[in-house]
Amino acid sequence: MPKVVSNLWFAEQAREAVEFYVSVIPDSRIGRTTILPAETPSGPPGSVELIEFTLCDQAFLAMRAGPLDSFNHSFSVAILLDSQAEIDRIWDAFLANGGTPEACGWLKDRWGLSWQIVPRALSEMVADSDRERAKRVTEVMLGMIKIDLAALEGAFNG
């Protein structure tokens, strides 16, 4: 069976990033680490490190291979959560570790990777067949930095 793995290229500190991610996100773990033994475009033997890890059973590969392209908003990792307590815990952990808050439940971690810390129910609310309810939720969400689940539910329920 094929498997999809998201690859994240870090100029440096890939190990520190992965250790942070798995410490904050439930059901996460670090797998195999490989140091490439050959010369690569990134440098001499031993200069490239590959770290396999999972976040909530989603496979990732972090590669420390020197500078290339910076992370940007065209790729983000969304964490869909069931409670405000979970949203608050993960949001606060990222900010305490050097992250920067952005609009609508987005933040950038200290390595520049974009994350969406959002309630699982949000996608159901904005897709609701009652488009007026969906509009109210969307408008409230657009005014938020960290997501407030009670405020979204209030907008949804009118």
Side-chain angles (χ1 to χ4, degrees):
M1 181 104 188
K3 186 173 189 174
V4 174
V5 177
S6 297
N7 290 272
L8 305 173
W9 182 307
F10 292 82
E12 53 188 33
Q13 297 185 339
R15 166 71 51 189
E16 292 88 342
V18 170
E19 288 174 352
F20 172 73
Y21 302 154
V22 301
S23 76
V24 172
I25 300 168
D27 301 319
S28 301
R29 68 186 182 289
I30 298 174
R32 179 174 53 197
T33 297
T34 304
I35 305 294
L36 294 185
E39 177 121 3
T40 72
S42 295
S47 64
V48 175
E49 178 182 30
L50 308 174
I51 306 164
E52 298 173 24
F53 66 107
T54 60
L55 302 176
C56 296
D57 296 323
Q58 171 66 46
F60 289 86
L61 178 88
M63 179 169 53
R64 178 187 45 81
L68 183 63
D69 294 320
S70 300
F71 293 122
N72 63 54
H73 288 96
S74 65
F75 178 85
S76 65
V77 179
I79 305 174
L80 308 178
L81 301 161
D82 292 319
S83 72
Q84 189 67 48
E86 292 175 303
I87 292 167
D88 293 346
R89 184 185 69 76
I90 292 176
W91 181 270
D92 293 345
F94 272 86
L95 295 186
N97 194 48
T100 305
E102 297 184 339
C104 306
W106 286 59
L107 59 80
K108 275 197 182 284
D109 69 22
R110 73 177 194 180
W111 299 279
L113 184 61
S114 293
W115 295 80
Q116 297 177 57
I117 314 300
V118 295
R120 187 180 319 273
L122 179 59
S123 62
E124 293 301 318
M125 287 187 236
V126 298
D128 193 83
S129 61
D130 182 334
R131 300 316 293 156
E132 187 55 39
R133 292 175 94 181
K135 179 182 178 191
R136 287 193 309 264
V137 168
T138 301
E139 289 172 345
V140 167
M141 184 262 314
L142 289 171
M144 294 179 177
I145 302 297
K146 179 173 74 171
I147 296 296
D148 178 338
L149 181 54
L152 294 178
E153 290 169 340
F156 185 73
N157 293 321

